[in-house]
Amino acid sequence: MPILYYGNEEQKAKYIPKLASGEWKACYCLTEPSSGSDANSAKTKAVLSEDGKTYTINGQKMWITNAGFAHVFTVFAKIGDDENLSAFILTKEMEGITLNAEEKKMGIKGSSTRQVFFNNVQVPAENLLSTRGNGFKIAVNILNIGRIKLAGGVLGGSKGVIDDAVNYSNERNQFGRPISKYGMIKEKIARMSVKSFALESAVYRATQNIDDAIASLEKGGMEKGIATLKGIASFAPECAILKVFGSEVLDYTVDEGVQIFGGMGYSAETRMEKAYRDARINRIFEGTNEINRMLTVDMILKKAMKGELDLMGPAMAVAGELTSIPDFGSAPETVFDEYRAYVKNFKKTVLMMAGSAAQKFTMSLAKEQEILGNIADMTIQTYVAESLLLRVEKLAGRKGGESGVELEISLMKSFFFDAAEEISTAGKSALWSFAEGDEMRMMQMGLKRFTKMTPFNIKEERRKVAEKAIAENKYCF
Ligand SMILES: Cc1cc2nc3c(=O)[nH]c(=O)nc-3n(C[C@H](O)[C@H](O)[C@H](O)COP(=O)(O)OP(=O)(O)OC[C@H]3O[C@@H](n4cnc5c(N)ncnc54)[C@H](O)[C@@H]3O)c2cc1C
């Protein structure tokens, strides 16, 4: 990816065909023993020779996927005392590259993960990727792509886990019946399916948005590679949201998958035990979920500061709404009107909390990580809920209205039930952490108002979802 998007024509011609055909494998060397989340603090050094022809690279990288069989190494290092990283293309035959043994990992044991050492490696100057000091930008942009790809990957994993769990629940008999007949098992199957369907909706939405953005930039005359990077970068907050939400959905499904398997879920003989261990890494790599939660809020606030997004206007409008008599409006005519109103309200909770927190802490908001995390959680739930609603509405348009998407409406209602609770809890946590007196009372009231839903029979909605999967013996939404 770094060569494809940042390489010059010569570099692309030299490496891409063999990487694309699979003849060569590549690895991405960013992390070091002392620099993980704080990637720009890497210590690996590159020193340019006096004649300007060669860099000498020294340093150590850790946790490098594919290292064991890679031909091409993209290595991030600092030239001299530069503040920012630069990126270099190294190849395995270069003298001075050595590897540690394979790491003994909890999961994803099919992937090679090793430490890589660079001892006076002589790298031709033309192997510098992009320009000096541009490495951190390359790393960040490539990570955006990695995050959205990870979301698609964990979605596939999650569906596979549900297939196995449903199948097992249909085959395993206890107390004279298949365990899939029991309400608590149905509830698990439903909640796993609801979360996965919601994730898929958000992945479809963000990827289509990105494709559209790239197409529009290309139409405006931009070169494909630059348009791709710019298109993805403009949806960087969504990439972070999907990475966090997706990896946590998969962890939820594997955990409940193990539970449905009972003792067999704990046995190394089953795929479920492996899935449980394999899933865990997704919350750690491609930027930990803590870092991505912070990035989500940070990137949105930066967009607002750059004038690309009006946050303060709507936030002030919500603050004004809180002090006025509530407008209950007319009763919704369709389920979509009703759920659209919920999304609007969820957005108000985010605006209310982000607006007040930004006003209260101004520049020191970055130090209030717990509150940022709460706001990120509210944002994530709102984004995913809206994506799900948009998907079901669109499907209804194709399938003859509400009656054509009854099952999808059950999925939507079940997701919103949980989302409203999560937004309410995260909002309360933020509120109790910084507000007091009248402000606290008013915002607490607002939070209650904006996360309120008309009650429906959640057990029945979940049962409809579970019973469909059980009848089909797989994830089928
Ligand atoms: C199997 C595997 C494969 C990998 N593949 C690659 C690869 O191919 N290439 C590569 O370059 N790297 C790779 N990595 C490294 C991976 O990206 C890092 O492990 C990850 O970025 C976290 O860095 P760290 O392990 O140093 O954790 P740390 O950064 O030390 O984090 C430890 C904990 O502290 C938290 N934390 C850190 N900073 C903050 C902060 N400012 N505020 C709040 N919390 C914070 C983190 O969220 C985490 O919970 C891989 C790792 C693994 C395990």
Side-chain angles (χ1 to χ4, degrees), residues 1-2 6 10 25 46-47 50 73 110-111 159 176 240 257 305 308 313 315 320 322 326 352 372 375 395 432 446 466:
M1 285 288 181
Y6 289 94
E10 271 182 356
K25 313 286 185 293
V47 177
E50 275 182 11
F73 295 65
S111 91
K159 288 182 183 179
M305 277 192 271
E308 290 170 16
L322 285 177
M352 178 176 84
L372 288 180
I375 297 171
L395 265 178
W432 286 25

Side-chain angles (χ1 to χ4, degrees), residues 8 54 62 77 113 134 179 256 276 280 312 333 380 421:
N8 56 33
T54 322
M62 198 171 177
T113 313
N134 209 29
I179 59 170
E256 289 292 45
Y276 184 85
R280 190 60 183 83
M312 273 344 252
E333 282 181 21
I380 292 169
E421 282 305 305

Side-chain angles (χ1 to χ4, degrees), residues 28 30-31 36-37 63-65 281 284-285 288 290 294 369:
Y28 178 88
L30 177 64
T31 308
S37 300
W63 302 121
I64 305 307
T65 303
I281 186 59
I284 298 170
F285 58 20
T288 66
E290 291 72 31
M294 282 187 282
Q369 284 196 352

